[in-house]
Amino acid sequence: MNYEYRQLIGGTWTDASNAGRWDVLNPATEEIVRTVPFGNGDDCRQAIEAAAAAFPSWSQKTAYERATLLKKASDLIRDRSAHLAHTTVLESGKPLLQAKGEWVVAADLFEWFAEEAKRAYGRWVPSRNVAKRQLVIHQPIGVVGLITAWNFPAYNIARAASAALASGCTVVIRPSEYTPLTAMEMVNILLEVGIDNGAVNLINGDPASMGQEMLHNEKCAKIHFTGSQRVGKLLMDGASRTVKRLSLELGGNAPVLIFPGVDLDQVAAGAIAAKFRNSGQVCIAPQRFLVHKAVAREFVDRVTIAASQLRLGDGLLPETNVGPLINSRQRNRVEQLVCESREQGAQVTLGGKRPDSQPRGYFYEPTVVTQVQPAMPLFENEIFGPVLTVSSFDRADDAIELANRTRYGLAAYVWTNDLRAAIRTAERLEFGMIGINEWTPQSTEVPFTGWKESGLGKEAGSEGLHEYLETKLISFGGTG
Ligand code: NAD
């Protein structure tokens, strides 16, 4: 393995056209991990040109030929997951076991879409006119620009790139500038298995000018974006000028409805694992725990004790189960949300500050906050940090109303032993993914999708493939 940590444009490793450089920092130590190219819209334009030049031959390969290459990539990722995860920990700070798991899912995605693209079936539709025959087919959309977030630096890219490449699209990957190394390792593997030069391109650099280039360049047919609502809305504004296709995977503010009668020890243990995974920097992280009054006190006691036993530290240390936040800006945001909610009456039962034990790195203590009310910042905003909030409710209808009182609509969780309540609650929640008595509703083979302002489009599952395909009707006349 001799990986390159540069931009990849048209099969050639390049530095930035403006010679810009960027220091990738380890969020656990604030030390430089590596310095990489940091370009701008010019690099993006070159990458789009290369992807457009590669499109005719890549899209004309059969789905079986593309699948062979993508399957090889998934095998290599599995073989090298230890090395790959190590790189991801260095730049993201997440615990090693979580980084390994993320790469395994990335491998699953390449394998899944390699297979799924073989089933991009069209159909003959019976005509109402005897002299006509009607055929509906699906064709790759063209060059896709991928702009992704740092929280899952391998998964976020794999989820879109695997589907796009399998369907016959070519891609320009623009990872978060905080985690470009993971992306660079991924494209090294794609190049190594023999994917056409130019089918996969990677650029790193100025987000705004690269985003603008993707928006305005006619050769870029679609943008896939994973990130904040703020930037998602900017892209949507820009896309309106060219009717650019968009997939937007934006933030979440997941409610967790806990009804009486459940095994509180089990729910609290699972809640801690789900909430503090990746230091809470997960779009589907359980955030607003809405707990029935009869069990709220007991639940708070249990999660406070369990969260106090979490070990904060460098993700490479085997004992660590919570790492740092990605950068100081993210930590400041979390601090501010906790501080303002506290001023409005929320009670902190654990944490609520930077740890004295970690003077370096962007750490924030695992935190539990109770008596959180709907108007408080911790209820209204996506926290994206290691903060578990608890509010209580009396009637199921109130819990559902509280749960839906958000502009987000990504994931929601329900814990109950009552089948009728489970079904009726799930049906009334305005969210794209509902976990009933479980914390991981998302999986490679099912759609990942947000309602309301959590996004547009679907990833993974069979639906994920169709985000990268256009539908075409071919109508034959004179066949009567
Ligand atoms: P962000 O919006 O700040 O950045 C996301 C990406 O956009 C980064 O690569 C960034 O460099 C780039 N970017 C920033 N400004 C841009 C601009 N003007 N034009 C084009 N690109 C620009 O978000 P973030 O802080 O990196 O990520 C956290 C957010 O991502 C959270 O809201 C989280 O919920 C969301 N997220 C969603 C999903 C999902 O599948 N729904 C998955 C992971 C993360």
Side-chain angles (χ1 to χ4, degrees), residues 255-334:
V256 184
L257 286 71
I258 301 178
F259 290 96
V262 296
D263 178 342
L264 277 188
D265 287 326
Q266 184 207 348
V267 178
I272 294 297
K275 171 70 244 184
F276 295 101
R277 178 166 75 109
N278 206 15
S279 295
Q281 302 169 117
V282 179
C283 53
I284 60 164
Q287 172 169 317
R288 294 174 296 142
F289 285 78
L290 308 173
V291 189
H292 190 275
K293 278 193 174 126
V295 292
R297 182 71 188 267
E298 282 178 76
F299 179 75
V300 170
D301 290 346
R302 281 170 168 76
V303 287
T304 303
I305 292 170
S308 71
Q309 289 160 359
L310 292 168
R311 288 177 303 271
L312 210 59
D314 188 321
L316 289 178
L317 300 174
E319 64 271 21
T320 296
N321 32 44
V322 182
L325 297 177
I326 189 73
N327 53 34
S328 58
R329 189 175 50 132
Q330 193 63 22
R331 180 169 60 180
N332 292 344
R333 250 194 86 254
V334 174

Side-chain angles (χ1 to χ4, degrees), residues 38 146-152 155-156 159 174-179 205-212 214-215 223-232 234-235 248-253 281-285 326-327 329-330 333 382 384 408 410 433 448-450 454-455 459:
F38 193 79
L146 270 58
I147 302 176
T148 52
W150 41 263
N151 66 331
F152 287 102
Y155 167 79
N156 290 341
R159 196 171 56 168
R174 192 258 165 221
S176 166
E177 60 275 33
Y178 293 99
T179 53
D206 175 51
S209 63
M210 289 182 163
Q212 288 302 309
M214 287 183 189
L215 280 172
I223 299 177
H224 162 97
F225 173 75
T226 305
S228 63
Q229 275 184 345
R230 183 187 68 81
V231 177
L234 280 176
L235 292 174
L248 301 177
E249 295 297 335
L250 309 180
N253 184 355
Q281 302 169 117
V282 179
C283 53
I284 60 164
I326 189 73
N327 53 34
R329 189 175 50 132
Q330 193 63 22
R333 250 194 86 254
E382 177 180 41
F384 231 55
Y408 293 101
L410 199 56
M433 293 172 280
F448 188 110
T449 179
S454 284
E459 305 294 321

Side-chain angles (χ1 to χ4, degrees), residues 183-202:
M184 288 168 181
E185 301 236 349
M186 192 181 293
V187 299
N188 270 276
I189 286 178
L190 290 169
L191 203 62
E192 185 177 334
V193 300
I195 287 202
D196 300 11
N197 286 343
V200 175
N201 304 275
L202 182 145

